[in-house]
Amino acid sequence: MRSRWVAASSTICSAFLLAGCGSSHPHAVAVTVTPRSSLEDQPVAIRVGGLRPKQGVYVTISSRDAKGVAFTARASFGADARGTLDLATAKPLAGSSYAGVWPMGLLTSMTAPNAPAHTLYWWGARPMRFRLSVASGGRTIAATTFSRRFANVRIAVRRLDVAHDGFDGQLYVPAGAHRRAAVLAFGGSEGGDDGTWLGGRFAAAGIPTLFVGYFHAPGLPDHLVNIPLEYFRRALQWLDRQPSVDPSRVSVYGVSYGTQAALLLGVHYPRLVHGVVALVPSDAVTCGILGAYRKGGCLGSAWTLDGKPLAHTSQYDEAHPTDVPDSVIPVEQIHAPVLLACGGRDQVWSSCGYADAIVQRRRAHGERTALYAYPTAGHFLGTLPWVYEPGWLGNDFYVPGDERGREALLPHVLAFLKRG
């Protein structure tokens, strides 16, 4: 855990680390977590009552995941003048990896101190148990337990491959789904088709999800170069035929490099695409590349249509490229609603600059666009499935800006996709 110990505020009992501080209480101390049972992407309220005014306490949360790995987080807080501690209003004073008021900060900052770095919490099929304890004067004065689980619905997963289905991916369908709004989703320059977390997250919310890989996966090119848009069209047509899917309410969902494909699909296949989600987007077709974290120059266009490479720019962070102006994606031709999200501290490209340009062009043509901008978030804002995930903060570049952005963004995305 990345933690920084600081001195407790002078308004808190000056000896709250010593035995005896807060050892006597006129009323019973009680800690509550509401709701007691929740999904892992659902916020909970944590409150401690019965403390002395301004009393200092340590709050610890702990749990073992489905693999038996122990996760924990701990921070000190001070009660208010009425002897109440509410994590919705209280700032941590010491021992925490987050700063400022954040109701879910303690739970989200859990790490596995005895496991390898960047270990993530593994959810099992059953609800997982969490313990919350409050200590003062070197002893525990209150404790409670609550449970969280990955999903409260059964999810069927179907594997697809290029040889048999014409594309590589996995379909995630909530049990009993019939003619629902659905989504074709894909990632960015990392390649592959590992959409387990995203597909599971959306399906748990009632949205059939087809996550496809479009390069660096079996039967596909190894690099993000000259990827045919017809590949995605084939996946959309297949998704339309599924009994769980309403073909009039299918959206596409792209992240980072994948936003170019998502926007292009909205332009070229209006009968198949009824909504576009583009997280940390680009507004232009950029160079084809080897893939994330692999060195290489401009390898031509990232995308093709009708066998021809699309015009592309080698100018990154430029919403209005001057080398190849035709590389700008004609987003004003997308007549379906579009949802964009960007981070003001994006370390890959200026996603907010790109998003603003998209909004301006679409607004000039009377097209509907929702933009959610998060000034302190970076490119990892686009890793939407990782909301309230123990262990995930240690994998992020900007803590907690990305997580706070994902926390705020997820309900908007789910509502958009459900409408279709």
Side-chain angles (χ1 to χ4, degrees):
M1 176 187 295
R2 293 174 295 194
S3 55
R4 181 170 61 90
W5 290 86
V6 297
S9 167
S10 60
T11 61
I12 305 303
C13 175
S14 60
F16 91 90
L17 295 178
L18 302 178
C21 177
S23 60
S24 176
H25 297 275
H27 306 290
V29 178
V31 55
T32 59
V33 178
T34 308
R36 290 286 299 275
S37 177
S38 58
L39 298 180
E40 44 83 43
D41 63 347
Q42 180 181 0
V44 296
I46 299 174
R47 190 174 184 274
V48 184
L51 299 171
R52 294 202 317 273
K54 304 297 183 179
Q55 181 180 350
V57 296
Y58 274 114
V59 180
T60 302
I61 188 169
S62 58
S63 177
R64 287 188 178 274
D65 71 3
K67 293 183 177 180
V69 178
F71 284 75
T72 189
R74 185 189 193 212
S76 65
F77 298 88
D80 62 19
R82 296 175 297 177
T84 298
L85 171 61
D86 188 342
L87 266 60
T89 58
K91 297 180 180 180
L93 301 175
S96 171
S97 63
Y98 78 95
V101 176
W102 186 6
M104 291 292 287
L106 190 65
L107 191 148
T108 304
S109 61
M110 294 177 72
T111 59
N114 298 320
H118 311 309
T119 296
L120 299 179
Y121 194 92
W122 190 262
W123 296 93
R126 298 179 179 180
M128 308 303 297
R129 181 175 178 270
F130 290 75
R131 183 176 190 271
L132 191 74
S133 63
V134 182
S136 183
R139 67 185 184 89
T140 299
I141 58 176
T144 191
T145 61
F146 61 100
S147 67
R148 288 170 76 77
R149 65 180 304 163
F150 183 77
N152 59 358
V153 298
R154 290 186 298 108
I155 299 171
V157 182
R158 179 177 174 182
R159 189 77 175 84
L160 293 311
D161 62 56
V162 174
H164 295 93
D165 306 290
F167 55 89
D168 186 78
Q170 296 189 83
L171 175 69
Y172 301 82
V173 179
H178 179 69
R179 291 188 66 82
R180 292 191 186 175
V183 61
L184 173 68
F186 33 86
S189 62
E190 71 279 1
D193 67 347
D194 187 11
T196 302
W197 286 95
L198 183 68
R201 171 84 71 194
F202 287 169
I207 305 166
T209 303
L210 174 58
F211 189 97
V212 298
Y214 52 92
F215 80 102
H216 200 51
L220 297 175
D222 194 44
H223 307 308
L224 205 173
V225 182
N226 291 330
I227 306 300
L229 293 182
E230 290 85 354
Y231 173 84
F232 299 98
R233 181 188 65 187
R234 191 178 306 123
L236 281 167
Q237 291 170 333
W238 183 92
L239 185 59
D240 278 357
R241 295 193 296 270
Q242 304 312 304
S244 60
V245 173
D246 179 352
S248 69
R249 294 191 295 155
V250 173
S251 299
V252 292
Y253 173 104
V255 180
S256 188
Y257 242 98
T259 62
Q260 297 176 25
L263 294 168
L264 288 165
L265 293 173
V267 171
H268 295 287
Y269 303 116
R271 293 185 179 181
L272 295 173
V273 176
H274 306 281
V276 177
V277 175
L279 306 186
V280 291
S282 164
D283 79 331
V285 174
T286 52
C287 291
I289 58 175
L290 294 179
Y293 315 117
R294 288 182 281 180
K295 295 181 179 180
C298 183
L299 304 180
S301 182
W303 318 102
T304 70
L305 181 65
D306 296 328
K308 299 177 182 179
L310 296 182
H312 61 282
T313 177
S314 59
Q315 295 177 353
Y316 289 87
D317 283 343
E318 179 51 66
H320 307 282
T322 57
D323 60 343
V324 185
D326 287 345
S327 63
V328 174
I329 300 169
V331 293
E332 64 276 6
Q333 296 179 22
I334 302 174
H335 301 307
V338 172
L339 184 149
L340 308 170
C342 67
R345 298 179 63 191
D346 197 315
Q347 67 276 25
V348 174
W349 55 37
S350 299
S351 58
C352 282
Y354 284 134
D356 287 338
I358 293 171
V359 170
Q360 290 172 16
R361 290 203 306 277
R362 285 179 55 78
R363 182 182 297 156
H365 289 77
E367 299 295 346
R368 295 171 293 168
T369 313
L371 170 59
Y372 299 94
Y374 301 93
T376 63
H379 207 68
F380 271 36
L381 172 70
T383 56
L384 193 61
W386 305 106
V387 177
Y388 308 142
E389 289 295 326
W392 179 245
L393 285 182
N395 293 276
D396 210 339
F397 290 121
Y398 293 117
V399 180
D402 289 348
E403 168 62 27
R404 298 301 300 270
R406 291 191 293 265
E407 176 182 13
L409 177 60
L410 180 60
H412 297 299
V413 171
L414 292 178
F416 181 92
L417 294 176
K418 287 180 179 180
R419 287 193 299 267

